[in-house]
Amino acid sequence: MKGVLETREVQSPALESNPLGDPARRRLTVYLPPGYGDGDQRYPVVYFLHAFSNSGSTWTNTSPFAPSVPERLDALITSGQVAPVIGVFPDAWTSLGGSQWINSDAIGRYRDYLVKDVLGFVDRTFRTLPKAASRAVVGHSSGGYGALVMGRYHPELFSHLGSHSGDCYFEYCYMPDIPKAAGALLKVGGLEAWHQDFKKRSRETKPRGEDFAVINILAMAAAYSPKKGEPLNLELPFDPQTARLKLEVWNRWLVHDPVRFVPKFLDAFRKVKTVFLDCGTRDEFNLRWGTRILAEEFKASGVELRHEEFDDSHSGVSYRFENSLGFLIPRMARE
């Protein structure tokens, strides 16, 4: 690697006293491009949002067969394919597996953590170009969803968005897990009993086959349908005995679905300069279809869009960041 990776720690006021008791002090990995230490130049910044069940440190996991995303970014810069940028890799892991990068009464204020605490720390600490036109936010899966959330709420901070296989069209991506989760919860006597057993087992053995479906539904319920006073401060979108959908709760989830909120908040997204969307044609969570719907909405909005599909599945597709970065970075303001 020709650039360098630095590890810092950020104390987040937004995460202090969060409902899950997760750490408010978080590690932050920052990529500094070649030549950063030699002058006083300021740089655009790309924020990378990790997927559900991952953390900020996941980005630097080594593989014997493929480079990490920071290494891919470094290769793009050192080869001259894109101009130098700073890369920021924040950590939004929670004890339910993830935060969806939103503010939730059941999880904590992770959107505020990113846009206030992390962004503020980065602009104070590094030689950034502190304006929306010089910031991009990209992510995969729940991180891609988070990038769309930032476009909805914070086009004044991020002008460039990249969503790789981002959560969307909830009927297709989440609903298949609901009967699996209902069966697993019924088997052990309910939500609290399952969660306590899961935490114990997670320290001792590998996950069971249905564990991901359950923790995924619990985490999404905590994000989309929080309810104080209920177990884990969340309301499930189904009856625990019959798995029948509770439409009043499910409709609370749908408010957070990008295929619903992008057209509703087009005025915000029109302030964004560029959007990159992609998804594999064999995505196991059916995200191809929601991504296609989003592409249609963005085309109608007039935003500069690149939408791509590729022959692959949901996981192991970090190579796709070369496409999004190659599209977004040249469009970032450099002065």
Side-chain angles (χ1 to χ4, degrees):
M1 180 176 283
K2 301 296 179 63
V4 297
L5 288 176
E6 292 194 359
T7 300
R8 302 295 182 94
E9 289 193 346
V10 177
Q11 181 66 32
S12 170
L15 298 186
E16 290 173 359
S17 302
N18 67 80
L20 293 174
D22 290 326
R25 190 168 187 83
R26 299 290 177 117
R27 293 179 64 186
L28 183 71
T29 300
V30 178
Y31 167 83
L32 300 176
Y36 179 88
D38 299 333
D40 57 3
Q41 178 182 350
R42 291 187 171 271
Y43 296 87
V45 185
V46 181
Y47 288 80
F48 293 82
L49 309 187
H50 63 74
F52 178 72
S53 78
N54 289 353
S55 67
S57 61
T58 307
W59 293 106
T60 57
N61 287 351
T62 58
S63 167
F65 303 110
S68 67
V69 169
E71 289 169 336
R72 292 181 189 277
L73 173 60
D74 187 64
L76 288 172
I77 292 171
T78 56
S79 67
Q81 294 180 66
V82 300
V85 297
I86 294 171
V88 177
F89 301 85
D91 177 33
W93 180 88
T94 76
S95 51
L96 285 177
S99 67
Q100 295 301 94
W101 302 92
I102 67 174
N103 294 340
S104 163
D105 289 340
I107 300 175
R109 295 186 290 122
Y110 282 85
R111 175 163 60 86
D112 289 349
Y113 154 71
L114 177 64
V115 302
K116 295 180 181 179
D117 303 335
V118 173
L119 192 148
F121 174 84
V122 169
D123 282 346
R124 290 191 305 270
T125 308
F126 301 98
R127 297 197 310 276
T128 68
L129 288 164
K131 57 183 179 180
S134 301
R135 293 194 194 101
V137 56
V138 299
H140 171 252
S141 195
S142 288
Y145 175 86
L148 296 171
V149 167
M150 297 308 145
R152 169 184 176 176
Y153 288 105
H154 298 291
E156 81 285 1
L157 298 178
F158 302 99
S159 287
H160 311 277
L161 312 178
S163 177
H164 295 276
S165 309
D167 297 9
C168 57
Y169 210 179
F170 288 3
E171 290 92 338
Y172 286 178
C173 72
Y174 295 146
M175 199 175 284
D177 277 346
I178 287 179
K180 299 175 188 176
L185 295 178
L186 192 64
K187 188 188 306 181
V188 298
L191 188 159
E192 290 179 297
W194 183 90
H195 191 240
Q196 290 300 319
D197 178 61
F198 173 74
K199 289 194 296 182
K200 181 176 183 294
R201 285 190 291 105
S202 296
R203 293 190 293 268
E204 298 173 356
T205 185
K206 66 181 181 180
R208 294 174 183 164
E210 73 272 15
D211 281 346
F212 181 84
V214 185
I215 199 68
N216 186 43
I217 291 298
L218 295 188
M220 300 311 148
Y224 306 141
S225 54
K227 186 175 182 180
K228 291 183 178 180
E230 295 290 325
L232 297 179
N233 292 312
L234 61 88
E235 189 170 15
L236 293 171
F238 59 88
D239 181 276
Q241 298 300 313
T242 64
R244 176 184 293 182
L245 277 182
K246 293 181 177 180
L247 291 181
E248 71 280 6
V249 181
W250 179 246
N251 286 336
R252 292 173 63 194
W253 284 42
L254 296 184
V255 170
H256 296 276
D257 188 343
V259 303
R260 272 86 177 184
F261 72 63
V262 166
K264 186 175 180 181
F265 291 91
L266 272 183
D267 285 346
F269 284 101
R270 286 191 182 101
K271 298 175 184 177
V272 172
K273 294 184 182 298
T274 51
V275 175
F276 179 96
L277 302 174
D278 78 357
C279 190
T281 56
R282 294 183 281 116
D283 187 278
E284 299 89 335
F285 299 98
N286 306 307
L287 294 167
R288 176 189 190 186
W289 309 110
T291 304
R292 284 190 164 204
I293 294 171
L294 288 178
E296 287 188 349
E297 297 292 345
F298 280 120
K299 286 175 185 176
S301 76
V303 172
E304 184 179 5
L305 170 73
R306 178 170 292 179
H307 171 223
E308 298 179 356
E309 291 187 352
F310 55 97
D311 181 23
D312 210 335
S313 56
H314 187 74
S315 301
V317 294
S318 64
Y319 62 90
R320 294 295 304 174
F321 280 93
E322 295 177 7
N323 292 54
S324 61
L325 296 172
F327 175 68
L328 296 173
I329 290 176
R331 289 161 174 79
M332 300 175 74
R334 308 197 70 84
E335 57 182 28

